[in-house]
Amino acid sequence: MAFVFHSLVDDANEWRTELKALIPDLDYRVWPDVGNPTEIDIALIWKAPPGMLAQLPNVELLLSLGAGVDHFLTDPDLPENVPITRLIDDFCATAMMEYVLLQVLRFHRNDPIYQNQQSNKEWIFHAPKIAADRTVGIMGLGALGSESAKTLKAVGFNVRSWTKHKRNIDGVESFSGINELPAFLSKTDILICLLALTEETSGVLNKHNLSRLPKGAYVINVARGDHLVEHDLLSLLDSGWLAGAALDCFTEEPLPDSNPIWSHPKIFLTPHASTGTNAPSAARHVAENIRRFYAKEPLLNELNRDTGY
Ligand code: GLV
């Protein structure tokens, strides 16, 4: 029984320290220096390199180092019937909420317009609105979406949600299913995508749907690049239908130099940095799942492969 770690963004040594403090006898190995790969039964991974999963024939538990598990689901070597868990802790949800709040407030208080005016030395007043004058629509009410919805509500925004199945949060107007998507979009001034990436949600931010937002709406994508049809967003920004976008994730990461999104005047972008995994708190979650796995108890945040989240 041995454990393997792989990530290009998380620190293998920090994770070793945190996990060994919780499980002192953990046989912790770091990909690709794993010794005999047939000994590995548990893997903690953020984006396995091609072929890695095929080289772990006895893996019995796959732990994602992030909230998303699409990196496992799109891997052609993903073994069938091996449980997969998502990593969601309070740090991850709080960091996402802060990022979402920042972008919503930037758009709400005309920050992009004033930044532009400052660079042109233009003194033009735009009457401020308050949060109660603005409707924010959140797609996806998982752990991350719910946290952001509650905070935006507490700040005073009108908040509405769109989910696959009806979900209720106090004070948040709930829309669900494809039939209610047009009504949800029609009064959303600032749209936030926090959906899991599945076959059903891939490309949901397309011209057809984004054109249903009121003129002058803003789009924030903090889920996955593949939720967004980039070309459709660019054309709606260029035609003036949409006023701006904040993007944290892209179909191709790092975003290639040649992508026009880099220099689009109405787009603010960050390099998949909206939230992250915090080893000290996340390791407790991972260690608990390792304990549950060996004790044959139900796992925390286990993926339902049918729904994709
Ligand atoms: C990051 O994108 C994650 O899924 O945690």
Side-chain angles (χ1 to χ4, degrees):
M1 292 191 301
F3 169 99
V4 67
F5 175 98
H6 170 75
S7 171
L8 291 179
V9 287
D10 305 275
D11 182 337
N13 287 328
E14 186 185 15
W15 271 91
R16 181 197 309 272
T17 306
E18 296 295 340
L19 281 178
K20 295 283 273 182
L22 297 163
I23 316 175
D25 57 356
L26 187 71
D27 183 353
Y28 184 99
R29 306 180 189 180
V30 180
W31 184 265
D33 300 320
V34 291
N36 179 354
T38 65
E39 291 168 3
I40 305 290
D41 58 350
I42 300 182
L44 175 62
I45 298 178
W46 181 249
K47 296 191 179 167
M52 175 180 176
L53 295 182
Q55 291 173 62
L56 301 175
N58 297 326
V59 77
E60 288 182 39
L61 174 61
L62 291 171
L63 303 158
S64 172
L65 255 167
V69 286
D70 44 300
H71 61 105
F72 278 134
L73 297 177
T74 51
D75 194 313
D77 299 319
L78 179 70
E80 279 174 35
N81 304 323
V82 169
I84 300 174
T85 64
R86 308 171 60 211
L87 185 48
I88 302 165
D89 69 354
D90 291 349
F91 177 98
C92 176
T94 302
M96 179 59 86
M97 173 276 286
E98 291 178 356
Y99 182 93
V100 163
L101 183 61
L102 172 69
Q103 301 312 330
V104 167
L105 286 173
R106 285 183 58 250
F107 291 141
H108 169 57
R109 293 307 305 265
N110 296 321
D111 186 55
I113 297 173
Y114 286 124
Q115 284 201 12
N116 191 33
Q117 288 186 192
Q118 184 174 347
S119 52
N120 295 327
K121 298 188 177 158
E122 286 172 335
W123 186 274
I124 306 169
F125 169 82
H126 303 274
K129 290 185 172 191
I130 58 168
D133 299 328
R134 198 81 77 165
T135 297
V136 178
I138 303 193
M139 306 174 94
L141 275 190
L144 304 184
S146 309
E147 185 71 15
S148 294
K150 286 178 200 157
T151 302
L152 290 164
K153 182 75 208 160
V155 171
F157 288 100
N158 300 300
V159 182
R160 42 174 55 199
S161 65
W162 181 74
T163 48
K164 185 169 174 170
H165 304 293
K166 218 46 170 194
R167 285 281 316 272
N168 286 319
I169 293 186
D170 261 2
V172 173
E173 196 181 354
S174 159
F175 296 79
S176 62
I178 207 70
N179 292 340
E180 294 184 9
L181 184 56
F184 164 79
L185 294 169
S186 68
K187 293 205 169 57
T188 290
D189 301 313
I190 303 177
L191 178 71
I192 301 161
C193 179
L194 266 168
L195 291 164
L197 182 66
T198 65
E199 271 174 30
E200 280 168 294
T201 64
S202 178
V204 67
L205 303 178
N206 56 34
K207 191 164 198 166
H208 178 75
N209 289 332
L210 294 178
S211 320
R212 294 186 184 274
L213 293 166
K215 187 165 192 298
Y218 296 92
V219 175
I220 300 171
N221 186 20
V222 273
R224 285 291 180 265
D226 283 350
H227 285 119
L228 175 71
V229 181
E230 287 178 3
H231 174 265
D232 288 359
L233 174 75
L234 292 173
S235 84
L236 288 166
L237 288 169
D238 292 341
S239 73
W241 190 260
L242 294 178
L247 306 178
D248 184 53
C249 43
F250 304 89
T251 295
E252 196 178 345
E253 294 182 4
L255 190 65
D257 288 359
S258 59
N259 193 311
I261 285 179
W262 273 117
S263 51
H264 197 286
K266 292 184 178 168
I267 297 179
F268 173 86
L269 77 84
T270 44
H272 206 130
S274 53
T275 188
T277 302
N278 172 53
S281 58
R284 287 198 289 277
H285 182 283
V286 168
E288 174 61 12
N289 262 342
I290 294 174
R291 187 195 69 71
R292 287 172 180 237
F293 171 73
Y294 287 122
K296 299 197 177 354
E297 289 173 19
L299 299 165
L300 300 173
N301 296 320
E302 181 173 353
L303 168 76
N304 175 340
R305 287 210 196 189
D306 293 331
T307 58
Y309 52 88

PDB file of all heavy atoms in Angstrom, residues 241-265:
ATOM      1  N   TRP A 241     -23.207  44.468 -27.045  1.00  0.00           N
ATOM      2  CA  TRP A 241     -24.304  43.867 -26.279  1.00  0.00           C
ATOM      3  C   TRP A 241     -23.852  43.589 -24.842  1.00  0.00           C
ATOM      4  O   TRP A 241     -24.538  43.912 -23.893  1.00  0.00           O
ATOM      5  CB  TRP A 241     -24.796  42.569 -26.949  1.00  0.00           C
ATOM      6  CG  TRP A 241     -26.056  42.115 -26.278  1.00  0.00           C
ATOM      7  CD1 TRP A 241     -26.186  41.146 -25.330  1.00  0.00           C
ATOM      8  CD2 TRP A 241     -27.365  42.659 -26.458  1.00  0.00           C
ATOM      9  NE1 TRP A 241     -27.484  41.065 -24.906  1.00  0.00           N
ATOM     10  CE2 TRP A 241     -28.239  41.982 -25.585  1.00  0.00           C
ATOM     11  CE3 TRP A 241     -27.897  43.679 -27.287  1.00  0.00           C
ATOM     12  CZ2 TRP A 241     -29.599  42.278 -25.505  1.00  0.00           C
ATOM     13  CZ3 TRP A 241     -29.249  43.967 -27.213  1.00  0.00           C
ATOM     14  CH2 TRP A 241     -30.081  43.268 -26.330  1.00  0.00           C
ATOM     15  N   LEU A 242     -22.657  43.031 -24.715  1.00  0.00           N
ATOM     16  CA  LEU A 242     -22.110  42.810 -23.374  1.00  0.00           C
ATOM     17  C   LEU A 242     -21.124  43.931 -23.055  1.00  0.00           C
ATOM     18  O   LEU A 242     -20.407  44.413 -23.946  1.00  0.00           O
ATOM     19  CB  LEU A 242     -21.398  41.460 -23.291  1.00  0.00           C
ATOM     20  CG  LEU A 242     -22.289  40.223 -23.432  1.00  0.00           C
ATOM     21  CD1 LEU A 242     -21.447  38.946 -23.376  1.00  0.00           C
ATOM     22  CD2 LEU A 242     -23.366  40.190 -22.341  1.00  0.00           C
ATOM     23  N   ALA A 243     -21.084  44.326 -21.771  1.00  0.00           N
ATOM     24  CA  ALA A 243     -20.238  45.458 -21.401  1.00  0.00           C
ATOM     25  C   ALA A 243     -18.845  45.027 -20.963  1.00  0.00           C
ATOM     26  O   ALA A 243     -17.894  45.810 -21.039  1.00  0.00           O
ATOM     27  CB  ALA A 243     -20.905  46.251 -20.287  1.00  0.00           C
ATOM     28  N   GLY A 244     -18.705  43.783 -20.470  1.00  0.00           N
ATOM     29  CA  GLY A 244     -17.383  43.377 -20.017  1.00  0.00           C
ATOM     30  C   GLY A 244     -17.398  41.944 -19.519  1.00  0.00           C
ATOM     31  O   GLY A 244     -18.462  41.344 -19.326  1.00  0.00           O
ATOM     32  N   ALA A 245     -16.193  41.423 -19.321  1.00  0.00           N
ATOM     33  CA  ALA A 245     -16.085  40.051 -18.817  1.00  0.00           C
ATOM     34  C   ALA A 245     -14.849  39.937 -17.940  1.00  0.00           C
ATOM     35  O   ALA A 245     -13.847  40.637 -18.157  1.00  0.00           O
ATOM     36  CB  ALA A 245     -15.993  39.062 -19.981  1.00  0.00           C
ATOM     37  N   ALA A 246     -14.957  39.068 -16.942  1.00  0.00           N
ATOM     38  CA  ALA A 246     -13.792  38.698 -16.131  1.00  0.00           C
ATOM     39  C   ALA A 246     -13.628  37.191 -16.289  1.00  0.00           C
ATOM     40  O   ALA A 246     -14.567  36.431 -16.029  1.00  0.00           O
ATOM     41  CB  ALA A 246     -14.017  39.069 -14.662  1.00  0.00           C
ATOM     42  N   LEU A 247     -12.465  36.783 -16.734  1.00  0.00           N
ATOM     43  CA  LEU A 247     -12.237  35.362 -17.034  1.00  0.00           C
ATOM     44  C   LEU A 247     -11.040  34.851 -16.244  1.00  0.00           C
ATOM     45  O   LEU A 247      -9.982  35.479 -16.239  1.00  0.00           O
ATOM     46  CB  LEU A 247     -11.966  35.173 -18.533  1.00  0.00           C
ATOM     47  CG  LEU A 247     -13.013  35.741 -19.495  1.00  0.00           C
ATOM     48  CD1 LEU A 247     -12.571  35.518 -20.941  1.00  0.00           C
ATOM     49  CD2 LEU A 247     -14.380  35.100 -19.260  1.00  0.00           C
ATOM     50  N   ASP A 248     -11.233  33.700 -15.625  1.00  0.00           N
ATOM     51  CA  ASP A 248     -10.137  33.116 -14.840  1.00  0.00           C
ATOM     52  C   ASP A 248      -9.707  31.764 -15.395  1.00  0.00           C
ATOM     53  O   ASP A 248      -8.744  31.181 -14.922  1.00  0.00           O
ATOM     54  CB  ASP A 248     -10.578  32.963 -13.376  1.00  0.00           C
ATOM     55  CG  ASP A 248      -9.447  32.441 -12.499  1.00  0.00           C
ATOM     56  OD1 ASP A 248      -8.361  33.052 -12.533  1.00  0.00           O
ATOM     57  OD2 ASP A 248      -9.637  31.425 -11.801  1.00  0.00           O
ATOM     58  N   CYS A 249     -10.453  31.245 -16.374  1.00  0.00           N
ATOM     59  CA  CYS A 249     -10.122  29.910 -16.887  1.00  0.00           C
ATOM     60  C   CYS A 249     -10.358  29.899 -18.387  1.00  0.00           C
ATOM     61  O   CYS A 249     -11.220  30.617 -18.895  1.00  0.00           O
ATOM     62  CB  CYS A 249     -10.961  28.863 -16.181  1.00  0.00           C
ATOM     63  SG  CYS A 249     -12.668  29.351 -16.009  1.00  0.00           S
ATOM     64  N   PHE A 250      -9.593  29.071 -19.062  1.00  0.00           N
ATOM     65  CA  PHE A 250      -9.549  29.124 -20.511  1.00  0.00           C
ATOM     66  C   PHE A 250      -9.457  27.714 -21.071  1.00  0.00           C
ATOM     67  O   PHE A 250      -8.931  26.811 -20.411  1.00  0.00           O
ATOM     68  CB  PHE A 250      -8.339  29.965 -20.961  1.00  0.00           C
ATOM     69  CG  PHE A 250      -8.392  31.338 -20.337  1.00  0.00           C
ATOM     70  CD1 PHE A 250      -7.800  31.568 -19.102  1.00  0.00           C
ATOM     71  CD2 PHE A 250      -9.107  32.350 -20.934  1.00  0.00           C
ATOM     72  CE1 PHE A 250      -7.899  32.805 -18.480  1.00  0.00           C
ATOM     73  CE2 PHE A 250      -9.224  33.596 -20.318  1.00  0.00           C
ATOM     74  CZ  PHE A 250      -8.619  33.821 -19.088  1.00  0.00           C
ATOM     75  N   THR A 251      -9.939  27.548 -22.291  1.00  0.00           N
ATOM     76  CA  THR A 251      -9.864  26.238 -22.926  1.00  0.00           C
ATOM     77  C   THR A 251      -8.414  25.792 -23.015  1.00  0.00           C
ATOM     78  O   THR A 251      -8.093  24.643 -22.740  1.00  0.00           O
ATOM     79  CB  THR A 251     -10.514  26.297 -24.324  1.00  0.00           C
ATOM     80  OG1 THR A 251     -11.895  26.561 -24.116  1.00  0.00           O
ATOM     81  CG2 THR A 251     -10.347  25.004 -25.084  1.00  0.00           C
ATOM     82  N   GLU A 252      -7.546  26.708 -23.377  1.00  0.00           N
ATOM     83  CA  GLU A 252      -6.122  26.370 -23.431  1.00  0.00           C
ATOM     84  C   GLU A 252      -5.381  27.184 -22.366  1.00  0.00           C
ATOM     85  O   GLU A 252      -5.412  28.415 -22.391  1.00  0.00           O
ATOM     86  CB  GLU A 252      -5.562  26.683 -24.825  1.00  0.00           C
ATOM     87  CG  GLU A 252      -4.233  26.017 -25.052  1.00  0.00           C
ATOM     88  CD  GLU A 252      -3.678  26.266 -26.456  1.00  0.00           C
ATOM     89  OE1 GLU A 252      -4.419  26.710 -27.354  1.00  0.00           O
ATOM     90  OE2 GLU A 252      -2.473  26.027 -26.626  1.00  0.00           O
ATOM     91  N   GLU A 253      -4.764  26.483 -21.413  1.00  0.00           N
ATOM     92  CA  GLU A 253      -3.995  27.162 -20.354  1.00  0.00           C
ATOM     93  C   GLU A 253      -2.575  26.624 -20.350  1.00  0.00           C
ATOM     94  O   GLU A 253      -2.402  25.401 -20.467  1.00  0.00           O
ATOM     95  CB  GLU A 253      -4.641  26.901 -18.990  1.00  0.00           C
ATOM     96  CG  GLU A 253      -6.024  27.531 -18.872  1.00  0.00           C
ATOM     97  CD  GLU A 253      -6.668  27.323 -17.500  1.00  0.00           C
ATOM     98  OE1 GLU A 253      -6.019  26.751 -16.605  1.00  0.00           O
ATOM     99  OE2 GLU A 253      -7.821  27.724 -17.328  1.00  0.00           O
ATOM    100  N   PRO A 254      -1.552  27.502 -20.226  1.00  0.00           N
ATOM    101  CA  PRO A 254      -1.654  28.957 -20.210  1.00  0.00           C
ATOM    102  C   PRO A 254      -2.273  29.488 -21.496  1.00  0.00           C
ATOM    103  O   PRO A 254      -2.110  28.871 -22.566  1.00  0.00           O
ATOM    104  CB  PRO A 254      -0.200  29.419 -20.095  1.00  0.00           C
ATOM    105  CG  PRO A 254       0.601  28.227 -19.710  1.00  0.00           C
ATOM    106  CD  PRO A 254      -0.171  27.021 -20.135  1.00  0.00           C
ATOM    107  N   LEU A 255      -2.941  30.628 -21.395  1.00  0.00           N
ATOM    108  CA  LEU A 255      -3.567  31.246 -22.564  1.00  0.00           C
ATOM    109  C   LEU A 255      -2.476  31.607 -23.579  1.00  0.00           C
ATOM    110  O   LEU A 255      -1.525  32.306 -23.245  1.00  0.00           O
ATOM    111  CB  LEU A 255      -4.292  32.513 -22.106  1.00  0.00           C
ATOM    112  CG  LEU A 255      -5.201  33.193 -23.123  1.00  0.00           C
ATOM    113  CD1 LEU A 255      -6.383  32.309 -23.506  1.00  0.00           C
ATOM    114  CD2 LEU A 255      -5.699  34.532 -22.566  1.00  0.00           C
ATOM    115  N   PRO A 256      -2.587  31.087 -24.820  1.00  0.00           N
ATOM    116  CA  PRO A 256      -1.528  31.374 -25.804  1.00  0.00           C
ATOM    117  C   PRO A 256      -1.409  32.870 -26.110  1.00  0.00           C
ATOM    118  O   PRO A 256      -2.405  33.582 -26.102  1.00  0.00           O
ATOM    119  CB  PRO A 256      -1.996  30.619 -27.063  1.00  0.00           C
ATOM    120  CG  PRO A 256      -3.049  29.677 -26.605  1.00  0.00           C
ATOM    121  CD  PRO A 256      -3.645  30.225 -25.345  1.00  0.00           C
ATOM    122  N   ASP A 257      -0.185  33.308 -26.379  1.00  0.00           N
ATOM    123  CA  ASP A 257       0.068  34.729 -26.682  1.00  0.00           C
ATOM    124  C   ASP A 257      -0.831  35.241 -27.797  1.00  0.00           C
ATOM    125  O   ASP A 257      -1.184  36.410 -27.836  1.00  0.00           O
ATOM    126  CB  ASP A 257       1.522  34.920 -27.168  1.00  0.00           C
ATOM    127  CG  ASP A 257       2.488  34.768 -26.011  1.00  0.00           C
ATOM    128  OD1 ASP A 257       2.026  34.547 -24.876  1.00  0.00           O
ATOM    129  OD2 ASP A 257       3.713  34.862 -26.266  1.00  0.00           O
ATOM    130  N   SER A 258      -1.153  34.347 -28.740  1.00  0.00           N
ATOM    131  CA  SER A 258      -1.895  34.794 -29.925  1.00  0.00           C
ATOM    132  C   SER A 258      -3.383  34.981 -29.632  1.00  0.00           C
ATOM    133  O   SER A 258      -4.124  35.470 -30.478  1.00  0.00           O
ATOM    134  CB  SER A 258      -1.745  33.746 -31.028  1.00  0.00           C
ATOM    135  OG  SER A 258      -2.245  32.505 -30.538  1.00  0.00           O
ATOM    136  N   ASN A 259      -3.851  34.607 -28.439  1.00  0.00           N
ATOM    137  CA  ASN A 259      -5.293  34.707 -28.167  1.00  0.00           C
ATOM    138  C   ASN A 259      -5.684  36.173 -27.960  1.00  0.00           C
ATOM    139  O   ASN A 259      -5.121  36.859 -27.107  1.00  0.00           O
ATOM    140  CB  ASN A 259      -5.659  33.873 -26.930  1.00  0.00           C
ATOM    141  CG  ASN A 259      -7.163  33.702 -26.801  1.00  0.00           C
ATOM    142  OD1 ASN A 259      -7.908  34.664 -26.891  1.00  0.00           O
ATOM    143  ND2 ASN A 259      -7.591  32.479 -26.607  1.00  0.00           N
ATOM    144  N   PRO A 260      -6.688  36.666 -28.737  1.00  0.00           N
ATOM    145  CA  PRO A 260      -7.074  38.086 -28.643  1.00  0.00           C
ATOM    146  C   PRO A 260      -7.626  38.481 -27.282  1.00  0.00           C
ATOM    147  O   PRO A 260      -7.696  39.672 -26.957  1.00  0.00           O
ATOM    148  CB  PRO A 260      -8.157  38.240 -29.725  1.00  0.00           C
ATOM    149  CG  PRO A 260      -8.599  36.857 -30.071  1.00  0.00           C
ATOM    150  CD  PRO A 260      -7.456  35.930 -29.750  1.00  0.00           C
ATOM    151  N   ILE A 261      -7.988  37.502 -26.463  1.00  0.00           N
ATOM    152  CA  ILE A 261      -8.510  37.808 -25.118  1.00  0.00           C
ATOM    153  C   ILE A 261      -7.485  38.588 -24.302  1.00  0.00           C
ATOM    154  O   ILE A 261      -7.833  39.462 -23.510  1.00  0.00           O
ATOM    155  CB  ILE A 261      -8.907  36.490 -24.405  1.00  0.00           C
ATOM    156  CG1 ILE A 261     -10.216  35.994 -25.004  1.00  0.00           C
ATOM    157  CG2 ILE A 261      -9.043  36.677 -22.899  1.00  0.00           C
ATOM    158  CD1 ILE A 261     -10.706  34.688 -24.411  1.00  0.00           C
ATOM    159  N   TRP A 262      -6.191  38.280 -24.495  1.00  0.00           N
ATOM    160  CA  TRP A 262      -5.132  38.962 -23.725  1.00  0.00           C
ATOM    161  C   TRP A 262      -5.270  40.478 -23.772  1.00  0.00           C
ATOM    162  O   TRP A 262      -5.048  41.156 -22.779  1.00  0.00           O
ATOM    163  CB  TRP A 262      -3.751  38.593 -24.279  1.00  0.00           C
ATOM    164  CG  TRP A 262      -3.131  37.362 -23.729  1.00  0.00           C
ATOM    165  CD1 TRP A 262      -2.826  36.236 -24.443  1.00  0.00           C
ATOM    166  CD2 TRP A 262      -2.680  37.118 -22.391  1.00  0.00           C
ATOM    167  NE1 TRP A 262      -2.229  35.308 -23.624  1.00  0.00           N
ATOM    168  CE2 TRP A 262      -2.125  35.826 -22.360  1.00  0.00           C
ATOM    169  CE3 TRP A 262      -2.693  37.863 -21.212  1.00  0.00           C
ATOM    170  CZ2 TRP A 262      -1.581  35.256 -21.203  1.00  0.00           C
ATOM    171  CZ3 TRP A 262      -2.160  37.304 -20.052  1.00  0.00           C
ATOM    172  CH2 TRP A 262      -1.620  36.018 -20.056  1.00  0.00           C
ATOM    173  N   SER A 263      -5.580  40.988 -24.951  1.00  0.00           N
ATOM    174  CA  SER A 263      -5.538  42.449 -25.080  1.00  0.00           C
ATOM    175  C   SER A 263      -6.914  43.056 -25.323  1.00  0.00           C
ATOM    176  O   SER A 263      -7.010  44.222 -25.706  1.00  0.00           O
ATOM    177  CB  SER A 263      -4.576  42.825 -26.211  1.00  0.00           C
ATOM    178  OG  SER A 263      -4.917  42.088 -27.352  1.00  0.00           O
ATOM    179  N   HIS A 264      -7.963  42.286 -25.073  1.00  0.00           N
ATOM    180  CA  HIS A 264      -9.291  42.856 -25.315  1.00  0.00           C
ATOM    181  C   HIS A 264      -9.609  43.914 -24.248  1.00  0.00           C
ATOM    182  O   HIS A 264      -9.515  43.639 -23.051  1.00  0.00           O
ATOM    183  CB  HIS A 264     -10.360  41.759 -25.307  1.00  0.00           C
ATOM    184  CG  HIS A 264     -11.623  42.232 -25.948  1.00  0.00           C
ATOM    185  ND1 HIS A 264     -12.476  43.103 -25.321  1.00  0.00           N
ATOM    186  CD2 HIS A 264     -12.135  41.994 -27.174  1.00  0.00           C
ATOM    187  CE1 HIS A 264     -13.479  43.362 -26.136  1.00  0.00           C
ATOM    188  NE2 HIS A 264     -13.299  42.708 -27.264  1.00  0.00           N
ATOM    189  N   PRO A 265     -10.011  45.127 -24.674  1.00  0.00           N
ATOM    190  CA  PRO A 265     -10.207  46.203 -23.693  1.00  0.00           C
ATOM    191  C   PRO A 265     -11.351  45.951 -22.710  1.00  0.00           C
ATOM    192  O   PRO A 265     -11.399  46.579 -21.660  1.00  0.00           O
ATOM    193  CB  PRO A 265     -10.513  47.436 -24.563  1.00  0.00           C
ATOM    194  CG  PRO A 265     -10.915  46.899 -25.901  1.00  0.00           C
ATOM    195  CD  PRO A 265     -10.235  45.577 -26.065  1.00  0.00           C
TER     196      PRO A 265
END
